[in-house]
């Protein structure tokens, strides 16, 4: 297993590479994993999300235990929505409550698949080879928006806000997902603890089937869906999601600033049609 | 009004600029609209989609006439889904039937808003200033997939296939959308003919409200939704969408190749869980 991270250096540049014993061994990029020869102490670097996906594909209903609880059949093809690139933040960055939204915000701890090479109409074997590694995703959701309209479920809006896709802290290649568990805590209290082996579609199956719908690009992330124990985050609370071999992804929900909210409300009045 | 296009040159490079009387006056880029001084004959160039959006935001139910026909109330906030970057093609490029899908494929002629500068929590006035110009979008949909699962409507999958977002032929800045009509023909027979003024949310209102959900980036496209006359495309048929001041966006639906379909079917058998 190798651990891969992405950082901002003190001059504002972005560096990516393999991390070992507190040092980053820099590589060209995720899809060109060639060492540059540079070795940097991670202490002088600011961690970022470990990749910069062009898109995040987020699965719904991909664990047997959750499907049973929801009393839904398991799907025959991955059911997914898209989260935009601007929704991505790294470990330690704040989740920002949208200025226009006062409702319930929900965490979902998930395994993330990171794509290493362009992938279209891939067989399961080809799909397995296209996986660069695995990370952790908090698929944050403005739950009250999902069914706000009785005519159109707003999956992309509810899950697409800036900062609503926490990814990190690292990508681990050679990770044996079948033997791992995912544990989510909310302000230190355990809320999710489930085995990844309970997935409906395995990672290679997800990549293969989704690659028949759309082209997956290097750095794209598939959030594999969540299982039991999803819950809401109060403003100021911290969600920490751990998969032992990958690390812990912690993010705190920051309340919207009252002065900025007032400005947006005033814009909304102007927008009213 | 200015007309902006993007081309591939004979050496494989991409050029963007203002087109006048058969010549491209090259500009640095859409978000840096600074002339480079180069002037190229468009005859030696291959047209591409006029921008390369990181994401396409596609609206549902944004015309009064269609809302009335569907017997749905008009929305109080734009209802949207996301189409990925890889779904984008330009005028004249083929729409490819997905190898795994034999069902109905539908055209939707739409006005497209092209974002010129990064935009977040924008007022309507700021949003108007952030619009670079307007284009035409064919928001193609694999209609039978939308409600294939009774538990999860697959908007992103049905509308997100590679080649399912036709954009072009040009971007026009200074375009007066209030006085324009959109006309769609299928193999030369008129199928849609509606006034853009029937929109529920105006372009500036869309940009303002959506910018409160997610950050809009230069080159991103908002497909403003369609109106009456949506219909299905037979394999081999050509959809042409015209807005007089912008031009005509024509794309032909190409059938999947039988040999490749057989390969994918065989992969699917392997994928079965």
């Amino acid at each position: 297993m190798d651990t891969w991270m992405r950082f901002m250096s003190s001059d504002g540049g972005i560096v990516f590479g393999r991390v070992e014993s507190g040092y980053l061994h820099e590589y060209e990029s995720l899809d060109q994993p060639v060492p540059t020869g540079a070795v940097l102490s991670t202490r002088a670097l600011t961690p970022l999300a470990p990749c910069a996906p062009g898109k995040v594909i987020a699965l719904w209903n991909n664990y047997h235990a959750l499907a049973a609880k929801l009393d839904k059949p398991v799907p025959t093809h991955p059911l997914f929505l898209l989260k935009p690139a601007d929704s991505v933040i790294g470990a330690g960055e704040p989740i920002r409550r949208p200025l226009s939204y006062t409702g319930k915000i929900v965490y979902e701890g998930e395994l993330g698949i990171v794509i290493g090479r362009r992938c279209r109409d891939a067989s399961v074997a080809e799909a397995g080879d296209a996986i660069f590694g695995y990370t952790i995703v908090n698929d944050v959701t403005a739950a009250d928006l999902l069914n706000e309209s009785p005519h159109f479920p707003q999956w992309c809006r509810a899950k697409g806000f800036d900062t609503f896709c926490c990814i990190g802290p690292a990508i681990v290649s050679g990770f044996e997902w079948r033997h791992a568990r995912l544990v989510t805590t909310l302000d230190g209290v355990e809320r999710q603890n489930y085995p990844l082996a309970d997935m409906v579609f395995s990672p290679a199956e997800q990549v293969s089937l989704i690659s028949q719908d759309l082209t997956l690009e290097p750095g794209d992330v598939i959030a594999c869906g969540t299982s039991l124990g999803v819950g809401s985050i109060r403003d100021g609370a911290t969600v920490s999601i751990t998969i032992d071999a990958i690390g812990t992804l912690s993010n705190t929900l920051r309340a919207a600033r009252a002065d900025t909210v007032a400005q947006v409300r005033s814009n909304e009045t102007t927008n009213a049609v």
Side-chain angles (χ1 to χ4, degrees), chain A:
Chain A
M1 291 200 301
D2 282 318
T3 297
W4 304 81
M5 292 181 75
R6 211 166 58 103
F7 295 89
M8 185 175 289
S9 60
S10 53
D11 65 0
I14 291 174
V15 289
F16 173 80
R18 194 168 49 76
V19 172
E20 201 178 327
S21 311
Y23 287 89
L24 175 85
H25 301 257
E26 195 191 17
Y27 279 64
E28 291 289 352
S29 67
L30 183 141
D31 53 323
Q32 298 272 338
V34 177
T36 67
V39 179
L40 307 164
S41 166
T42 57
R43 281 186 299 181
L45 301 171
T46 307
L48 300 172
C51 55
K55 59 184 173 291
V56 175
I57 296 112
L59 266 66
W60 180 78
N61 193 18
N62 193 37
Y63 281 86
H64 293 97
L66 185 58
K69 188 189 168 199
L70 298 175
D71 197 21
K72 306 281 189 208
V74 298
T76 55
H77 185 94
L79 297 171
F80 65 84
L81 56 108
L82 297 171
K83 292 168 82 97
D86 281 307
S87 67
V88 173
I89 58 172
E93 294 186 69
I95 303 163
R96 286 187 283 106
R97 173 179 285 279
L99 301 175
S100 55
Y101 180 72
T102 56
K104 187 160 87 166
I105 295 180
V106 162
Y107 62 82
E108 298 182 6
E110 308 191 1
L111 177 69
I113 302 166
V114 181
I115 301 298
R117 62 174 85 140
R118 182 176 282 199
C119 192
R120 181 186 294 156
D121 294 325
S123 67
V124 174
E126 289 163 346
D129 291 343
I131 296 174
F132 179 85
Y134 295 89
T135 187
I136 301 170
V137 177
N138 186 354
D139 177 13
V140 181
T141 309
D144 296 345
L145 288 182
L146 267 181
N147 297 305
E148 190 193 47
S149 160
H151 306 290
F152 185 89
Q154 297 185 74
W155 287 99
C156 289
R157 184 177 173 217
K159 289 176 173 277
F161 288 98
D162 290 356
T163 75
F164 271 34
C165 189
C166 318
I167 301 183
I171 304 167
V172 172
S173 53
F175 168 67
E176 289 294 337
W177 62 272
R178 283 178 202 278
H179 306 301
R181 298 185 74 87
L182 181 146
V183 177
T184 303
T185 65
L186 181 66
D187 279 343
V189 179
E190 184 175 300
R191 298 298 191 98
Q192 299 194 284
N193 186 336
Y194 66 84
L196 300 181
D198 184 44
M199 266 189 269
V200 175
F201 297 103
S202 73
E205 286 165 349
Q206 292 176 51
V207 171
S208 169
L209 289 166
I210 293 169
S211 82
Q212 287 160 41
D213 298 335
L214 40 81
T215 298
L216 295 166
E217 300 284 353
D220 281 354
V221 170
I222 300 175
C224 297
T226 197
S227 190
L228 303 176
V230 167
S232 69
I233 321 171
R234 294 179 320 283
D235 289 359
T238 298
V239 180
S240 296
I241 307 169
T242 301
I243 297 176
D244 272 343
I246 301 176
T248 296
L249 171 69
S250 286
N251 300 85
T252 299
L253 175 58
R254 191 163 75 187
R257 282 179 48 198
D259 54 340
T260 328
V261 170
Q263 182 55 46
V264 164
R265 292 276 150 75
S266 135
N267 288 347
E268 276 175 351
T269 310
T270 318
N271 285 338
V273 289

